[in-house]
Amino acid sequence: MKLLTKQKQDDMARQVSLKSRDIDICIFSALEGSLPKEMLLDCLMLYVNKDGGFGHGLYIDNYNVNSSVYQVYEAFRLLDMLDFDSSCQNELYDEIINKACNYLYNRVPPVKGIWNPNTKSNNDYAHSMEFEYNEENKKLFGLHPTAALLGYTLLFVKPTKAYYKKALATIPLILKEFYAKEEFTKYELISFNSLLNSLRKCNLLLEDQKKIEEKLTEYVKKNISNDFKNQKANRPLDVALYLEDSAFDDLKMQELDYLIDSIAPHGMWDYNGSWGYDKYAEEDSAKLKWIGAGTVNNYFLLKKYGRLE
């Protein structure tokens, strides 16, 4: 089993501190233990708008300064990465979660249980193709990030709060559609992995946990890919991250080995994604930012699976 050596970890930490956004430096440092995870809360405040949502390019491929559902999802994903939950006793945490949930459930409430991840003002700013505000992209995302956001609400909000109860009441609507679907986008597979993980952490809906995992497992077995270079492929650590079936074990181990082998000479991971068209010059700066953010995500995975020396 390949491990990320201590020397490479030190080199990576140094490169992240030199070349990454403040928020990525913060997360990496919290993961390696050199900063308290609460520093993430201060970093997130740089991206919060007056309406309680997140914008300003928190998700790098969307330069919109205005709030959107997808940017809230990204903020919640980062909080989950550092194991925040409703037991957190921090005033800033409470402020962030309350404002974000007010944005989600009151300012842009889901329609028939589903949030549109994009917002009209995306089209006024540089963005990758999937963040263009149109019906095609609404179908592309499908039940993502709705499923993940509902799970995160249960994870981050105390059970006595109205947002918790709203999320709990909405989940059956989403699950009804999920159980009826025969095809899933990669986005949806990621989102339902996230929901499954949140339900496990909260010890909620035990029967649905089993049914979600069974359906995801059956579908992913038929559609998983070992093309680890292709970000659009159904890679194991994306679509089977929280699936416990042993059928995925070998592919996950292969992808973790690939991650260690593919570290660039500069000590981080390069970014090989694309915005899907040659429309905005900002794509070049986004690629540079993704080197830091991608390194944080990969380091998180290596730590999660015990691949740090």
Side-chain angles (χ1 to χ4, degrees):
M1 183 174 69
K2 296 181 179 180
L3 299 175
L4 185 65
T5 66
K6 188 65 172 65
Q7 181 61 55
K8 284 191 174 182
Q9 291 177 57
D10 291 342
D11 292 342
M12 190 173 291
R14 184 165 54 254
Q15 292 300 319
V16 168
S17 69
L18 291 172
K19 300 176 181 177
S20 303
R21 300 181 299 171
D22 288 347
I23 194 165
D24 298 318
I25 296 170
C26 173
I27 298 169
F28 188 94
S29 300
L31 287 170
E32 69 162 1
S34 60
L35 275 181
K37 70 179 187 179
E38 287 76 15
M39 289 295 295
L40 174 60
L41 302 174
D42 295 280
C43 288
L44 284 175
M45 289 300 293
L46 297 173
Y47 299 89
V48 175
N49 286 315
K50 290 181 179 180
D51 59 14
F54 291 83
H56 306 280
L58 177 58
Y59 191 79
I60 297 166
D61 289 340
N62 185 0
Y63 274 56
N64 193 350
V65 301
N66 300 297
S67 299
S68 68
V69 169
Y70 203 90
Q71 301 277 25
V72 176
Y73 159 72
E74 178 66 2
F76 281 6
R77 186 185 72 85
L78 298 178
L79 288 168
D80 184 43
M81 186 182 290
L82 294 187
D83 288 325
F84 282 93
D85 59 35
S86 61
S87 66
C88 179
Q89 301 295 316
N90 184 292
E91 290 184 5
L92 188 53
Y93 169 84
D94 291 337
E95 179 182 348
I96 288 173
I97 297 301
N98 287 334
K99 286 184 175 180
C101 285
N102 180 60
Y103 172 78
L104 287 174
Y105 291 92
N106 295 328
R107 292 181 176 270
V108 290
V111 177
K112 296 182 180 179
I114 300 174
W115 279 288
N116 186 341
N118 290 328
T119 186
K120 288 182 180 179
S121 60
N122 280 2
N123 295 356
D124 298 327
Y125 296 86
H127 56 272
S128 58
M129 189 175 288
E130 66 268 26
F131 291 106
E132 185 80 8
Y133 182 80
N134 57 37
E135 283 300 313
E136 182 180 349
N137 281 336
K138 189 175 181 181
K139 293 177 182 178
L140 171 67
F141 284 108
L143 299 176
H144 176 67
T146 297
L149 284 170
L150 293 172
Y152 286 146
T153 303
L154 298 178
L155 184 62
F156 297 145
V157 176
K158 290 180 172 57
T160 55
K161 299 294 185 179
Y163 302 126
Y164 181 99
K165 295 173 183 177
K166 285 184 178 181
L168 200 57
T170 306
I171 284 178
L173 298 176
I174 297 304
L175 290 182
K176 182 179 180 180
E177 186 166 347
F178 170 73
Y179 295 142
K181 283 174 71 72
E182 296 182 359
E183 298 289 333
F184 298 95
T185 67
K186 178 180 178 178
Y187 293 108
E188 290 177 316
L189 296 174
I190 291 172
S191 211
F192 279 94
N193 266 266
S194 176
L195 173 59
L196 177 61
N197 186 48
S198 293
L199 292 177
R200 283 177 180 157
K201 287 183 175 182
C202 297
N203 196 32
L204 289 170
L205 306 180
L206 300 184
E207 285 301 312
D208 280 308
Q209 285 185 40
K210 182 179 179 181
K211 290 172 66 177
I212 292 168
E213 179 152 27
E214 287 176 351
K215 188 170 182 70
L216 284 176
T217 298
E218 179 183 5
Y219 185 85
V220 170
K221 280 181 179 179
K222 298 175 183 177
N223 295 278
I224 201 166
S225 171
N226 63 356
D227 184 3
F228 306 137
K229 293 182 180 180
N230 184 359
Q231 292 190 332
K232 294 183 178 180
N234 289 330
R235 299 179 300 187
L237 297 178
D238 291 324
V239 302
L241 181 60
Y242 296 111
L243 301 184
E244 297 177 345
D245 194 295
S246 60
F248 305 123
D249 290 349
D250 186 54
L251 278 173
K252 288 180 181 178
M253 294 303 105
Q254 289 180 37
E255 188 174 359
L256 291 165
D257 286 344
Y258 168 78
L259 290 181
I260 292 174
D261 289 339
S262 61
I263 297 171
H266 54 67
M268 301 164 72
W269 283 273
D270 282 326
Y271 176 71
N272 61 1
S274 168
W275 277 14
Y277 47 32
D278 186 16
K279 188 175 179 180
Y280 297 106
E282 288 87 346
E283 181 178 4
D284 290 337
S285 63
K287 287 180 178 180
L288 293 175
K289 294 175 183 177
W290 268 119
I291 293 175
T295 295
V296 167
N297 289 335
N298 291 340
Y299 185 84
F300 165 77
L301 291 170
L302 293 175
K303 181 177 181 181
K304 173 180 172 61
Y305 284 96
R307 290 300 194 96
L308 304 182
E309 189 177 79

